[in-house]
Amino acid sequence: MKSEAKKEKAAGLRLHNLRLRPGARHRVKRLGCGESSGHGKTSGKGHKGQKARSGGSLRLGFEGGQMPLIRRLPKRGFNNAAFHKRYAIVNLSELADFKSGSIVNEESLRAANLVRGNFYGIKILGDGELKHGLTIQAEKVSTAAREKIEKAGGTIAAPEAKAPRNGAATEASAEKPKRAARSPASRKVKPKKTKVSKK
């Protein structure tokens, strides 16, 4: 009997009568529909006030008008975060896909999705092994990475200087001739008006 019931149940499963498991779908929470929504008259927002209004919210750190904690705490010392130079880290193990003799610089590393985002320069670290020679152009190279690169027959070179973004503007300003400075004698001096006293 059990085997027949299983066969009937298996035979009844078709694409047109598949159903989700009980509890997989939930009823949509009806907001702003009063007591009939099943979430109370105020839909869980309490009674009145700024937080109960539609679109009403408080910014992060707001303390009801009193001096916020971030402004109450003393701030001393120098913070170097604004002048910090961030380097993109690349290990030697990630350079194995480059062909022998190829140039590894920022453009090739970005094309290979090894570095992304904004950074000041590239730093090569010595994690992994390098089996063929590469020409690496990077701002910084660790001691271990330098030894492994030279041992594999590669070379390390300084990266090429990047052209400024507003290069066209600089070239135009360079071609524009500068005005010759006029001597004080050539300048027109307006005569001073003398006041005549009336008696």
Side-chain angles (χ1 to χ4, degrees), residues 30-43:
R30 299 176 67 198
L31 295 177
C33 295
E35 297 174 355
S36 64
S37 64
H39 299 287
K41 184 180 65 171
T42 55
S43 297

Side-chain angles (χ1 to χ4, degrees), residues 60-75:
L60 187 66
F62 183 71
E63 299 183 20
Q66 75 172 6
M67 191 62 66
L69 178 67
I70 189 63
R71 294 184 64 185
R72 294 200 300 268
L73 293 176
K75 300 168 185 65

Side-chain angles (χ1 to χ4, degrees), residues 8 18 24 67 95 121 131 138 140 161 165 170 181 188 190 193:
E8 290 178 1
L18 290 176
M67 191 62 66
L95 303 179
K131 296 182 179 179
K140 286 190 174 184
R165 291 181 180 178
T170 53
K188 294 181 179 179
K190 293 182 179 180
K193 294 182 179 179

Side-chain angles (χ1 to χ4, degrees), residues 41-185:
K41 184 180 65 171
T42 55
S43 297
K45 286 198 170 189
H47 288 273
K48 301 182 181 178
Q50 184 179 5
K51 292 183 179 179
R53 310 300 182 196
S54 64
S57 60
L58 300 175
R59 69 174 183 274
L60 187 66
F62 183 71
E63 299 183 20
Q66 75 172 6
M67 191 62 66
L69 178 67
I70 189 63
R71 294 184 64 185
R72 294 200 300 268
L73 293 176
K75 300 168 185 65
R76 298 189 182 92
F78 174 73
N79 188 0
N80 199 28
F83 308 98
H84 176 69
K85 294 179 180 178
R86 191 179 74 85
Y87 288 86
I89 303 300
V90 180
N91 282 295
L92 290 179
S93 58
E94 298 172 327
L95 303 179
D97 294 336
F98 287 94
K99 294 181 180 179
S100 178
S102 59
I103 298 174
V104 179
N105 52 18
E106 182 180 344
E107 294 179 1
S108 59
L109 290 172
R110 283 188 185 274
N113 279 335
L114 294 177
V115 295
R116 58 180 61 86
N118 297 324
F119 47 82
Y120 178 77
I122 297 169
K123 185 173 183 179
I124 308 296
L125 298 182
D127 187 13
E129 295 295 333
L130 196 64
K131 296 182 179 179
H132 50 270
L134 297 173
T135 302
I136 295 175
Q137 297 177 354
E139 280 77 8
K140 286 190 174 184
V141 181
S142 67
T143 306
R146 186 180 294 273
E147 292 176 357
K148 291 180 180 180
I149 291 167
E150 292 176 351
K151 186 178 179 181
T155 57
I156 300 169
E160 298 177 357
K162 298 178 182 178
R165 291 181 180 178
N166 55 350
T170 53
E171 288 176 5
S173 60
E175 292 175 0
K176 189 177 179 180
K178 295 182 179 180
R179 289 172 59 184
R182 292 189 297 174
S183 61

